[in-house]
Amino acid sequence: MGLLLPLALCALAACCRARSEPLVVPEAWRLLSRGCSDSDVLHFSDFALQDINKDRKEGYVLSLNRVSDVREHRQESEGSLFYLTLDVLGTDCPVLSKKSWKDCRVRLLHESVYGQCKAILYISRPRRVLYLPAYNCSLRPVSRRAISRMCPDCPVPSPTDLSDPSVLEAATQSLAKYNNESTSKQYSLVKITKASSQWVFGPAYFVEYLIKESPCTKSQASSCSLQLSDSKPAGLCKGSLSQEGIKKFVSVKCEFFESQAPAPGGENSAPTQGPVNLLKVEESQHEGMAPTNAPSEAVPRGSVQYLPDWDDEKPEGSQKKDPREAFPVQLDLTTNPLGENLDVFFFFPGPVKEKLFVLPFPKREHLSPECPGPAQVDNPFILPP
């Protein structure tokens, strides 16, 4: 018994010393800070946003305003996972146009949509892989209250669900004008995507809407019985209807998507750009670094959430909410704080099944020291808090 007591005390002391030593974080759990203005980070963010826009089926192309945060997670195999937080702005290009965000015009302040995207991007230079496994975005319109204070005469948003008959009238009359001026094909309304109103010399309505080709040509207009067409949207029109007394003024301009564009000289529309060849873009920007032609399993998983005007959720004079609630973007491929494996067998054929190791997306409270980066449009009304 006399020998057992000293041994027990020694063991207890050794245990206490072990507990007092600082915890060593395994390399596989470490997230490295990167600068938000780093050229590689900007290049990877550009690719991530291009892929997000490419994956979407409706809405408008998102433009990169700034990189808000970035972390790098080096893998045991070749390559790194980047955890990107991107501040984005809406443009005037529908995603169906397949245009690059760099070729699209950012909306004017009074009609802006802004928000934040979180994306996880895998990069392997030796294997020439750029792969976006997941993303999520949250968007809001710019504050109507703020705009009305700055520009009380600016157009104000109108509902696009046809609850305002004047919006539908603006769309149908502007499309009728386009069809009347067309030399051959006729088009029908698919969906109103944006609308606003303004008092000029009378009420004025501005609309944007998708169109599809009608089964009737102009020469058949009097004898053709219209049938429902399963054709995809062919283009986007921007029209307006204003009134002064009994006089009405209608304007319209339509742009067509990819192969849907009419033959030269057939329609009075502006030429549009075809789909961007990301492979060529990447090769020209980074020699030896290009996205692979990924199989169907590599399609990114994500969504874009449209939120109401922040003023509608935070009435004037109410207690301020936590600004982080303004854009509640969640992106966790895992909720396990120790991380999990992500299967990417489709990129690495062979007997050895290689996997990526992913961690929960880093919290906003711990931004990289050199973040956020400079904004393309540095206006507090369109920068997420």
Side-chain angles (χ1 to χ4, degrees):
M1 183 67 182
L3 289 174
L4 289 176
L5 183 58
L7 288 173
L9 292 174
C10 289
L12 183 59
C15 180
C16 291
R17 284 197 300 271
R19 289 182 180 176
S20 64
E21 292 177 0
L23 178 65
V24 177
V25 179
E27 189 67 32
W29 299 352
R30 290 183 180 175
L31 291 175
L32 306 176
S33 296
R34 293 290 299 266
C36 283
S37 300
D38 182 273
S39 60
D40 276 344
V41 169
L42 292 174
H43 169 68
F44 298 149
S45 299
D46 171 40
F47 172 79
L49 192 56
Q50 298 281 21
D51 236 27
I52 290 171
N53 285 322
K54 182 180 176 183
D55 186 57
R56 296 166 60 213
K57 302 299 185 290
E58 62 179 9
Y60 291 84
V61 170
L62 298 176
S63 171
L64 180 63
N65 194 22
R66 72 177 179 184
V67 179
S68 184
D69 190 35
V70 58
R71 298 300 178 92
E72 181 181 1
H73 182 202
R74 291 176 183 166
Q75 302 293 295
E76 289 186 3
S77 59
E78 296 170 326
S80 294
L81 276 175
F82 280 79
Y83 299 78
L84 301 167
T85 303
L86 311 176
D87 291 345
V88 296
L89 293 172
T91 70
D92 63 352
C93 298
V95 294
L96 295 177
S97 70
K98 305 297 184 185
K99 286 187 177 182
S100 165
W101 64 266
K102 293 182 178 179
D103 296 325
C104 298
R105 181 184 68 87
V106 172
R107 297 274 183 179
L108 299 175
L109 182 61
H110 67 269
E111 57 183 9
S112 287
V113 172
Y114 71 112
Q116 201 164 74
C117 294
K118 290 183 178 179
I120 297 177
L121 182 69
Y122 172 60
I123 293 107
S124 175
R125 293 181 184 275
R127 291 171 169 172
R128 292 168 51 81
V129 171
L130 284 171
Y131 167 48
L132 182 78
Y135 71 90
N136 273 330
C137 304
S138 287
L139 306 176
R140 286 188 187 274
V142 70
S143 164
R144 292 193 308 271
R145 188 181 300 157
I147 294 300
S148 64
R149 289 170 181 164
M150 294 174 52
C151 178
D153 296 327
C154 282
V156 296
S158 295
T160 58
D161 60 0
L162 305 185
S163 58
D164 186 341
S166 299
V167 170
L168 179 59
E169 183 185 11
T172 53
Q173 290 208 21
S174 60
L175 181 56
K177 175 181 174 67
Y178 184 85
N179 283 330
N180 288 336
E181 295 174 353
S182 168
T183 58
S184 56
K185 293 182 179 180
Q186 300 288 284
Y187 296 91
S188 57
L189 177 66
V190 175
K191 179 183 180 181
I192 297 175
T193 58
K194 199 171 185 66
S196 61
S197 61
Q198 182 183 25
W199 186 270
V200 187
F201 40 75
Y205 291 86
F206 309 92
V207 289
E208 297 180 20
Y209 50 91
L210 295 171
I211 58 170
K212 65 182 178 182
E213 188 174 337
S214 167
C216 304
T217 62
K218 190 171 184 178
S219 60
Q220 298 172 323
S222 59
S223 59
C224 176
S225 58
L226 288 176
Q227 297 177 352
L228 292 177
S229 172
D230 294 331
S231 59
K232 295 179 181 179
L236 181 98
C237 294
K238 298 178 181 180
S240 69
L241 173 64
S242 55
Q243 190 166 348
E244 182 181 16
I246 60 172
K247 290 184 179 179
K248 289 187 177 182
F249 304 89
V250 181
S251 70
V252 64
K253 181 179 180 182
C254 298
E255 243 185 276
F256 291 86
F257 306 145
E258 294 181 13
S259 60
Q260 301 287 346
E267 306 288 347
N268 57 345
S269 63
T272 60
Q273 176 184 324
V276 176
N277 188 326
L278 288 178
L279 182 62
K280 291 181 180 178
V281 171
E282 297 291 337
E283 286 177 338
S284 65
Q285 291 180 346
H286 262 55
E287 185 177 354
M289 191 61 187
T292 57
N293 293 322
S296 59
E297 292 93 337
V299 172
R301 294 171 291 172
S303 63
V304 176
Q305 179 185 16
Y306 291 89
L307 303 171
D309 189 325
W310 182 232
D311 295 333
D312 294 341
E313 296 184 358
K314 184 177 64 64
E316 193 167 16
S318 65
Q319 186 176 2
K320 281 191 174 182
K321 294 183 180 181
D322 186 336
R324 289 172 297 182
E325 297 177 18
F327 295 94
V329 190
Q330 299 294 327
L331 182 62
D332 285 321
L333 289 180
T334 176
T335 56
N336 185 344
L338 303 183
E340 290 183 15
N341 288 321
L342 175 67
D343 200 345
V344 286
F345 66 91
F346 39 81
F347 274 130
F348 309 119
V352 180
K353 298 297 183 182
E354 297 197 39
K355 298 179 184 292
L356 302 179
F357 189 71
V358 297
L359 295 170
F361 207 93
K363 303 298 183 184
R364 273 186 61 92
E365 292 84 355
H366 310 292
L367 293 179
S368 294
E370 299 176 41
C371 292
Q376 300 294 322
V377 183
D378 191 11
N379 189 312
F381 292 130
I382 50 178
L383 285 175

